[in-house]
Amino acid sequence: IICVTHAIEEAVFLADHIAIMNSCPVRQIEVLNVPLGEPRSSATRLKKEFFDVSSLIRNKTKGLLL
């Protein structure tokens, strides 16, 4: 299943892998593994790992044309 979103926290919550893409020209920048395990619940959003992955993605996408 492929889910396209611009919401970083949504992607981290839903995905096992996240592909960071650039839009001009369209290309894959990087694929990240999301080490949160299953099943996920609202408590998942409070974990350090959730914050760490979200922050990593935010830092990697700074300056990209999304």
Side-chain angles (χ1 to χ4, degrees), residues 2 22-23 41 56 61:
I2 296 175
N22 194 7
S23 65
S41 67
L56 177 66
T61 56

Side-chain angles (χ1 to χ4, degrees), residues 8 12 32-33 35-36 44-60:
I8 292 171
V12 173
L32 301 171
N33 290 321
L36 294 177
T44 302
R45 295 178 184 268
L46 303 175
K47 291 184 175 184
K48 181 184 183 312
E49 294 86 354
F50 184 89
F51 177 79
D52 290 347
V53 173
S54 298
S55 296
L56 177 66
I57 294 168
R58 197 169 315 288
N59 289 330
K60 288 183 177 288

Side-chain angles (χ1 to χ4, degrees), residues 29-40:
I29 305 292
E30 186 171 353
V31 176
L32 301 171
N33 290 321
V34 180
L36 294 177
E38 301 287 340
R40 295 179 187 166

